[in-house]
Amino acid sequence: MYAQFFGSYLLSKNAVTPQQLTEAISHLSDSHIRVGTLAMHKGYMTADEVDEVCFLQTREDKHFGQIALERNYLFEDQLNELLKSQSPDYLLLGQNLVDMGALTNSQLETLLVGYQNDNKIDESTSNDDIPEKTTNLVKNFFYQAGKQVSENLITYMDLLFNNLVRFIGGDFTPLTPVFTSEYDTNYAITQRLTGVLPIHTCIDMESEAAVEFASRYAQMKFDRFDEYVKASLEDFLNLHNGLFSVNMSNTYSTEAELAPPEYIDHESIQLSEDAFVVPVIYPFGTVYLILSPVKS
């Protein structure tokens, strides 16, 4: 989830627009990391050196690595290491934004350092460092919003973000959480959990987004908002909450009880004073994740 939270970081710094970010993240699966981006990430080359080599490639029919070696910007062992290394997905997202002209290499260099420092990410961190590393990302995500939430809520949201990647797709960016005591729904599914973490949970979106969300989840094409779409949304939330309940059972030896999911259509719902909404931007629209803790 490093790319998703890097995107959130970029938005918080006003470095890119939501539209630019959505376009860049939607092309992660068909993009490939380049040696220059990796070299800059590793600290082997500066942004200016990468720009110079890229410019020289327009004048000489040579690979990036060959020119970098000739200019003494890279050593042979460094180049071999880069060619064999696997890059984190947030680095590829940054490269896409540079290719689009939304960022320069120099700007990306500075933003990468800030993101890595804020989230305690080092060069050894990979996309497989879950759940421990992603839990830290989620915790810092809420910390930067200016309000502390419980460890169990962090665990819940960490699993929810990972289930979005797993069942819907990783081409999303979470926006800064909004703390509120009231929310006006579009097409929403709610479900109450009791036990170790008593909360009201809710996912909400416009009808067009709901159709695409359900299509991705069910792995079949829906053309309009109907009972099948609602059933898919209910199944997703119920599945996620069920997985969370199992995790809590493994930790606390007690499972959370799940009430049946309910559908709400364009109604205002009252939330607790500690409730929050996390907008999640997908290319097909925005999904709103709403959690409202209940005092036991």
Side-chain angles (χ1 to χ4, degrees):
M1 291 195 298
Y2 298 107
Q4 290 79 15
F5 283 95
F6 183 48
S8 181
Y9 176 83
L10 294 175
L11 290 177
S12 71
K13 299 297 183 183
N14 295 316
V16 297
T17 66
Q19 293 76 16
Q20 290 171 325
L21 187 58
T22 299
E23 180 181 350
I25 207 169
S26 66
H27 292 298
L28 285 178
S29 61
D30 52 25
S31 301
H32 301 283
I33 200 70
R34 292 193 292 272
V35 173
T37 307
L38 283 172
M40 190 173 65
H41 174 245
K42 287 284 190 178
Y44 295 160
M45 295 177 64
T46 66
D48 289 341
E49 290 170 344
V50 171
D51 285 338
E52 180 185 345
V53 174
C54 288
F55 172 76
L56 290 173
Q57 281 189 287
T58 66
R59 299 291 188 270
E60 305 176 36
D61 184 20
K62 296 179 180 178
H63 292 297
F64 182 98
Q66 184 179 355
I67 297 176
L69 290 174
E70 292 173 354
R71 298 276 166 166
N72 294 319
Y73 291 152
L74 285 176
F75 296 111
E76 191 77 41
D77 57 341
Q78 291 175 328
L79 178 59
N80 290 334
E81 177 193 341
L82 295 175
L83 293 173
K84 295 177 182 178
S85 66
Q86 294 186 353
S87 62
D89 54 3
Y90 66 90
L91 189 59
L92 185 56
L93 173 61
Q95 177 181 283
N96 283 359
L97 288 164
V98 170
D99 290 346
M100 290 166 47
L103 295 174
T104 65
N105 272 320
S106 180
Q107 290 171 326
L108 176 60
E109 184 179 38
T110 300
L111 290 163
L112 284 171
V113 171
Y115 177 64
Q116 291 163 346
N117 288 341
D118 286 357
N119 291 283
K120 297 180 173 59
I121 301 172
D122 56 37
E123 293 178 4
S124 63
T125 301
S126 72
N127 298 329
D128 299 324
D129 288 336
I130 53 176
E132 181 178 314
K133 292 289 186 179
T134 57
T135 299
N136 291 334
L137 285 176
V138 176
K139 186 180 297 184
N140 198 43
F141 174 69
F142 280 95
Y143 174 78
Q144 291 176 343
K147 194 166 183 177
Q148 189 172 8
V149 298
S150 71
E151 289 294 328
N152 284 339
L153 275 174
I154 293 295
T155 300
Y156 182 93
M157 292 303 300
D158 183 31
L159 179 63
L160 183 51
F161 285 130
N162 276 292
N163 280 337
L164 285 175
V165 172
R166 179 181 178 187
F167 295 111
I168 310 302
D171 52 338
F172 68 84
T173 299
L175 303 185
T176 302
V178 177
F179 293 86
T180 181
S181 59
E182 186 175 0
Y183 178 79
D184 294 326
T185 66
N186 299 290
Y187 297 89
I189 304 297
T190 70
Q191 186 172 40
R192 179 169 180 169
L193 282 70
T194 58
V196 67
L197 182 62
I199 51 174
H200 279 118
T201 66
C202 178
I203 56 172
D204 178 52
M205 60 203 84
E206 295 281 1
S207 60
E208 294 84 0
V211 170
E212 181 59 29
F213 187 100
S215 296
R216 289 187 177 198
Y217 176 70
Q219 297 185 17
M220 59 186 299
K221 182 63 177 175
F222 296 115
D223 296 320
R224 59 190 176 87
F225 188 87
D226 55 20
E227 294 301 318
Y228 295 106
V229 169
K230 288 194 289 185
S232 295
L233 299 180
E234 289 177 359
D235 192 57
F236 170 81
L237 186 59
N238 191 63
L239 172 63
H240 163 72
N241 285 335
L243 292 172
F244 175 74
S245 177
V246 171
N247 287 353
M248 288 295 98
S249 175
N250 293 336
T251 302
Y252 296 101
S253 300
T254 178
E255 290 191 19
E257 294 184 8
L258 278 60
E262 297 181 3
Y263 172 66
I264 299 177
D265 183 345
H266 289 87
E267 295 180 16
S268 179
I269 56 176
Q270 299 299 312
L271 308 173
S272 67
E273 60 182 13
D274 295 325
F276 57 85
V277 180
V278 180
V280 176
I281 301 177
Y282 270 100
F284 57 78
T286 302
V287 178
Y288 298 91
L289 312 176
I290 302 103
L291 263 72
S292 181
V294 177
K295 291 185 179 179
S296 54

